[in-house]
Amino acid sequence: MYIPLSAWMLYHSYAAFGWSLGFIAGLFLLAFFSWTLFEYFAHRYLFHYEATSTLGQRIVYIFHGNHHEYPRDRMRLFMPPVPSIILAAVIFSLIYGLSALFTGNGDYAFVYFPGFLMGYLAYVSMHYAIHAYPPPRMLKSLWRNHHLHHYKYPEKGFGVSSVFWDKVFRTEPREEIQS
């Protein structure tokens, strides 16, 4: 459902705003790669938040703790559609508002949001593949990073679609899993 929406938003940016394909591609790629930083911080600080209240602990468990308890459960690897749509609407609104605040024009959200959304889709697809399939040779470091995060170092390896931010913030697991 997000791919047709993103395609329409990108077309709309070209047709209605008259932006060049180069500008659209550049902003789209910036947004796509900014997803990886968002993913890293969300995983590290929201999904692994150490709540002190019972309610807080329950919320963290529902959002991510159950995935750590049952990492091979394929039904726990994607967000259900209704919460996903609500969250997407909130994120679009935030991007639109920030665009309007910093540039005086919210229209940039029509390019940035699809790029960010495609970053999210790449992330969830990669996350599913990491838990469901053996690693292809070229992506072995991603599988390694995430498996070490799940099975040995839950305080490290927060990047799923990229190990870049784990390297930058020095949270990359360094040891191999012993078979």
Side-chain angles (χ1 to χ4, degrees):
M1 70 182 158
Y2 290 125
I3 293 172
L5 173 64
S6 294
W8 176 84
M9 289 178 132
L10 293 171
Y11 172 77
H12 180 72
S13 298
Y14 176 76
F17 307 141
W19 293 337
S20 72
L21 293 177
F23 174 77
I24 290 170
L27 186 55
F28 179 90
L29 289 173
L30 174 70
F32 184 88
F33 289 113
S34 71
W35 163 263
T36 63
L37 182 60
F38 178 84
E39 165 198 322
Y40 176 87
F41 280 118
H43 190 188
R44 183 174 182 178
Y45 295 108
L46 291 176
F47 295 164
H48 285 271
Y49 178 71
E50 294 190 21
T52 54
S53 72
T54 304
L55 177 61
Q57 290 170 353
R58 181 77 182 135
I59 290 170
V60 170
Y61 180 82
I62 289 168
F63 274 98
H64 192 66
N66 64 12
H67 171 58
H68 271 265
E69 192 170 337
Y70 305 102
R72 298 252 182 238
D73 185 349
R74 294 180 183 189
M75 297 304 294
R76 298 174 196 267
L77 297 176
F78 283 104
M79 186 179 296
V82 172
S84 176
I85 291 168
I86 292 168
L87 189 57
V90 168
I91 290 171
F92 176 79
S93 299
L94 285 171
I95 292 171
Y96 190 91
L98 288 171
S99 173
L101 179 68
F102 289 115
T103 70
N105 186 341
D107 294 345
Y108 296 104
F110 285 88
V111 176
Y112 195 90
F113 180 72
F116 196 77
L117 201 54
M118 290 303 109
Y120 167 73
L121 291 178
Y123 153 77
V124 294
S125 299
M126 182 69 65
H127 190 235
Y128 184 85
I130 287 170
H131 284 280
Y133 304 109
R137 187 170 297 174
M138 290 175 32
L139 299 175
K140 202 168 192 169
S141 66
L142 289 174
W143 264 249
R144 174 191 165 273
N145 202 55
H146 197 63
H147 283 266
L148 284 170
H149 169 73
H150 268 279
Y151 299 110
K152 197 166 187 179
Y153 301 110
E155 75 287 353
K156 294 185 178 283
F158 298 104
V160 175
S161 62
S162 169
V163 296
F164 178 77
W165 297 111
D166 280 310
K167 291 176 192 260
V168 168
F169 296 114
R170 299 179 181 196
T171 55
E172 183 179 27
R174 299 267 181 214
E175 293 183 68
E176 293 289 333
I177 293 178
Q178 301 298 319
S179 300

